[in-house]
Amino acid sequence: MAKTQLGARVDADVAELAKKRAADLGLSIGDYLARLVQDDASGLRARSVDAAARFLAEHQDVFDEAEDAQTPQGARAA
């Protein structure tokens, strides 16, 4: 497939984060950005966030119990 070059200006910290994340995934910056756009356009990203929110809501009591068991009295995280 033919590729088209795009240009975008982002803050230096965003650029560095993108470079690091792409490297972590073994992708070029272009391939990483293409994956992000495809995931967003397909709805995959939104479905993943929704699934995580449902999971947390359904199991919040388990997380609270585990946190209570590991946290000294009165020092619970927000």
Side-chain angles (χ1 to χ4, degrees):
M1 174 184 349
K3 297 206 176 203
T4 299
Q5 183 172 348
L6 300 174
R9 294 186 185 276
V10 297
D11 292 336
D13 57 333
V14 172
E16 190 59 32
L17 184 59
K19 289 176 188 177
K20 286 180 181 177
R21 189 64 183 129
D24 289 346
L25 295 170
L27 299 170
S28 68
I29 295 288
D31 288 342
Y32 174 63
L33 294 175
R35 179 188 282 188
L36 289 177
V37 170
Q38 289 169 341
D39 288 352
D40 182 50
S42 73
L44 177 63
R45 209 170 224 7
R47 289 192 308 271
S48 297
V49 170
D50 289 344
R54 282 193 312 275
F55 177 84
L56 290 173
E58 291 173 15
H59 302 288
Q60 187 62 52
D61 57 334
V62 175
F63 295 115
D64 289 343
E65 289 174 17
E67 185 176 16
D68 287 343
Q70 295 178 350
T71 305
Q73 192 68 16
R76 187 170 176 168

